[in-house]
Amino acid sequence: MSGPFQLTPLAETRPGMVLSDVVLDGRGNVLLAQGVVLTESMLASLGRHGIDMLPILQAAPAAVPIDPVAIQARLDHLFRIHDRDDLGDWGTGILRRYVEDYRLQRGEDA
């Protein structure tokens, strides 16, 4: 599979939907390839071949925008006992940095 998919009944499938996997007939012959954008004629043909369910690729959920101010405020709350300037507590400082990098989606080069 090339991403999140949902098995969808043929009756609910519409032209323009994308297959997340190949569609095989009862003998194992490939009817449609993975990634095919379905058309009305394809859907009619699949019905004639006895296909009743299709693996339809689902749209990826929209990315939630990053709010650096809100993230920093949350981290300040989570690490409120830790003083950022306390060099003696280096473990907590490293942990905070890792969490901050993860939440702000910073790469390794940051």
Side-chain angles (χ1 to χ4, degrees):
M1 301 287 159
S2 65
F5 74 99
Q6 180 177 353
L7 282 176
T8 306
L10 183 62
E12 296 175 17
T13 307
R14 301 289 172 250
M17 292 182 168
V18 179
L19 291 176
S20 67
D21 204 355
V22 296
V23 175
L24 306 174
D25 66 8
R27 297 180 189 164
N29 298 317
V30 175
L31 296 177
L32 292 173
Q34 176 183 359
V36 167
V37 178
L38 296 169
T39 64
E40 191 69 45
S41 62
M42 288 177 189
L43 295 173
S45 176
L46 289 171
R48 290 190 299 270
H49 281 90
I51 304 297
D52 58 349
M53 299 289 279
L54 292 172
I56 300 298
L57 188 64
Q58 299 298 300
V64 177
I66 296 174
D67 183 359
V69 174
I71 290 172
Q72 288 298 338
R74 179 67 179 149
L75 290 176
D76 288 342
H77 175 72
L78 292 173
F79 290 91
R80 62 189 173 274
I81 297 173
H82 171 69
D83 180 13
R84 281 185 169 200
D85 300 325
D86 182 6
L87 299 179
D89 192 7
W90 57 270
T92 306
I94 290 172
L95 176 62
R96 181 188 172 114
R97 175 63 192 245
Y98 281 138
V99 172
E100 190 174 298
D101 289 348
Y102 175 77
R103 296 245 177 125
L104 294 173
Q105 297 180 357
R106 292 183 193 148
E108 291 180 19
D109 56 318

